[in-house]
Amino acid sequence: MSAVVETRTSGTPPIASRRRVRLVAAAPSLWRVLEPGGRVIGHLQEIAQAGSIRFRARRYNPAAHAFRDLGDFWSADDAVECLVFGR
């Protein structure tokens, strides 16, 4: 079974996170989430599913040499908060 993941490129999603983070484009519908000092804490991926937009929080796992999905969220803010608090 294969999953179809649709993406859109509508620009950087606005975040109103209380944490001081910034998003930097990494690929279409994918952004690096950076701390104020420039350290990457994860990635935010925009995914279109069944006509709606979801945001996936992802973190690189060096031991596995792969990304680990932390969850899918209805808002970019929730996905960013997951990355911030999941450290």
Side-chain angles (χ1 to χ4, degrees), residues 40-43 57-70 83:
V40 177
I41 61 172
H43 286 82
R58 307 182 82 203
R59 180 163 289 130
Y60 185 71
N61 182 344
H65 300 285
F67 282 93
R68 180 177 56 159
D69 294 341
L70 303 179
L83 289 167

Side-chain angles (χ1 to χ4, degrees), residues 15-21 33 41 44 57 59 70 73 75-87:
I15 56 170
S17 176
R18 291 182 298 276
R19 304 286 174 190
R20 294 183 326 169
V21 297
V33 181
I41 61 172
L44 177 69
R59 180 163 289 130
L70 303 179
F73 301 88
S75 75
D77 282 318
D78 290 344
V80 168
E81 289 294 317
C82 175
L83 289 167
V84 169
F85 290 118
R87 289 188 272 169

Side-chain angles (χ1 to χ4, degrees), residues 2-61:
S2 63
V4 175
V5 176
E6 300 173 19
T7 59
R8 68 182 177 112
T9 55
S10 61
T12 305
I15 56 170
S17 176
R18 291 182 298 276
R19 304 286 174 190
R20 294 183 326 169
V21 297
R22 63 187 172 103
L23 303 179
V24 176
S29 299
L30 181 69
W31 298 269
R32 286 184 186 91
V33 181
L34 298 151
E35 290 181 327
R39 181 174 167 250
V40 177
I41 61 172
H43 286 82
L44 177 69
Q45 182 178 17
E46 186 179 74
I47 300 168
Q49 293 178 338
S52 62
I53 300 299
R54 304 271 296 186
F55 295 92
R56 180 171 291 159
R58 307 182 82 203
R59 180 163 289 130
Y60 185 71
N61 182 344

